[in-house]
Amino acid sequence: MRAVVLHEFGPAANLRYETVPDPVPGPGEVRLLVKAAGVHQIETAMREGLEIGPPLPVLPAIFGAEVAGVVEAVGPAVDDAWIGADVVTAHGRPGGYAELAVADVSSLHRIPAGLGHDAAVTMVVTGATTMGLLDIAELTSDDVVLVTSAAGGIGRLVVQFAGRLGATVIGAAGGPAKTAAVRELGADVAVDYNLPDWAGAVRDALGGRGVTVVLDGVEGDKGRAAFGLLAQGGRYITIGAASREEFRPDEAELKERGVHFTDALAILLEGQDAAADEARALTAAADGNLVPAFQAFPLSQAAEAHAALEARATTGKVILVPDAHE
């Protein structure tokens, strides 16, 4: 099969599209003909060899645990009825950056009717994480919600949810195109946080109202600015650091302003019922309650996909799809 393989930690260009042996499903496993694979922000750091979360893979490695496809073979003790099923998993191996991948049958979700492989792979982790984040945030119609990285995979889903709930939604994203996309999602206020006084623009737009909740997936300087917009007694909830620059509010300032800080990502990594949230996310997308957005790259262009994600030049979830000519 054709796959994208990392032989040496380093830049995106180290991802090589080449021929490797087909994986063989073992007991309790199935083999998938991959139709779409998710690309995760943390994979770009792991590709560089940065130890910032999961253990680094043994090289050579194929990334991509998020896989949607068609079951085309089963291992021992697996019902043949799975063959031909459209499924998605968050636990593909050796990885979904390939034409074929294997997964434990217990990790599979049948893709709901009307949902494509691309949308399913967008929701299986990004959507599940969003569901867990929203459980933690406990948003209400009275909230004024500021979402950073609002044009990203999680950000777009949060903007939709909060808007449907009736909350006032401020979406912050980088550049005119992303800001326009956030506005089209229904955000009450959309700002370009690459501009120097974006926080001032938010204050002006709110006309004296304060932000009650920040859902921040960027951290760094932008997270600090977002935190500064919170009203007395507000909530600052972080779900990751796309900037790769951590921001943690000062304890004294938190106490003085009565602001509650929550590291949602840490909570989810420790105690999330991932399988249940995956199912909820897929159902929400199939029902049309949440509309996943993705930007697809051909499998052979995985290096370009990584580079674009690192440059924050993508909108929605980044996914890889089989090359059209193959």
Side-chain angles (χ1 to χ4, degrees):
M1 68 174 182
R2 300 288 279 172
V4 175
V5 184
L6 182 72
H7 293 272
E8 182 180 358
F9 294 119
N14 283 12
L15 293 169
R16 300 177 186 171
Y17 185 56
E18 56 191 51
T19 300
V20 300
D22 294 352
V24 178
E29 295 180 334
V30 302
R31 185 167 67 197
L32 306 180
L33 180 65
V34 178
K35 297 295 185 179
V39 178
H40 200 284
Q41 183 76 39
I42 201 167
E43 291 170 352
T44 66
M46 294 171 68
R47 186 210 69 232
E48 291 185 22
L50 301 178
E51 298 185 22
I52 62 171
L56 294 178
V58 176
L59 301 183
I62 299 173
F63 286 120
E66 306 162 30
V67 186
V70 180
V71 177
E72 57 100 53
V74 298
V78 177
D79 192 336
D80 286 345
W82 279 102
I83 294 177
D86 291 298
V87 298
V88 63
T89 179
H91 304 284
R93 64 173 187 81
Y97 292 19
E99 293 175 330
L100 298 169
V102 298
D104 193 298
V105 70
S106 65
S107 75
L108 301 179
H109 297 274
R110 291 183 182 270
I111 298 176
L115 199 65
H117 295 99
D118 42 18
V121 85
T122 297
M123 294 300 288
V124 73
V125 171
T126 297
T129 302
T130 302
M131 304 305 286
L133 170 63
L134 292 171
D135 288 345
I136 292 168
E138 297 183 324
L139 302 178
T140 73
S141 58
D142 295 327
D143 278 315
V144 178
V145 185
L146 170 58
V147 184
T148 66
S149 194
I154 291 176
R156 292 178 67 102
L157 297 176
V158 171
V159 168
Q160 293 176 52
F161 178 89
R164 187 175 293 112
L165 191 65
T168 299
V169 184
I170 305 104
K178 290 187 178 183
T179 305
V182 172
R183 190 174 293 109
E184 289 175 5
L185 287 171
D188 298 284
V189 180
V191 296
D192 181 350
Y193 58 16
N194 287 340
L195 298 178
D197 192 30
W198 71 271
V202 172
R203 292 190 183 93
D204 292 344
L206 291 177
R209 295 182 71 191
V211 173
T212 61
V213 184
V214 169
L215 297 176
D216 179 27
V218 181
E219 297 191 23
D221 291 341
K222 292 179 174 66
R224 171 71 230 190
F227 175 75
L229 289 166
L230 276 169
Q232 189 77 19
R235 291 170 285 156
Y236 175 74
I237 304 171
T238 181
I239 191 63
S243 67
R244 296 194 187 176
E245 297 176 0
E246 186 179 84
F247 166 68
R248 289 293 180 267
D250 179 75
E251 289 291 339
E253 186 175 3
L254 286 172
K255 184 176 181 180
E256 178 184 351
R257 294 172 56 192
V259 170
H260 182 69
F261 166 66
T262 303
D263 184 341
L265 187 59
I267 292 173
L268 294 176
L269 288 174
E270 289 179 5
Q272 182 186 23
D273 185 348
D277 285 344
E278 289 161 12
R280 288 168 60 202
L282 292 167
T283 298
D287 291 347
N289 293 323
L290 293 176
V291 180
F294 50 85
Q295 183 170 344
F297 290 78
L299 177 62
S300 61
Q301 294 180 19
E304 288 85 347
H306 268 230
L309 186 57
E310 289 177 294
R312 311 202 63 203
T314 60
T315 300
K317 174 74 174 178
V318 175
I319 67 172
L320 301 175
V321 297
D323 285 68
H325 64 279
E326 296 187 351

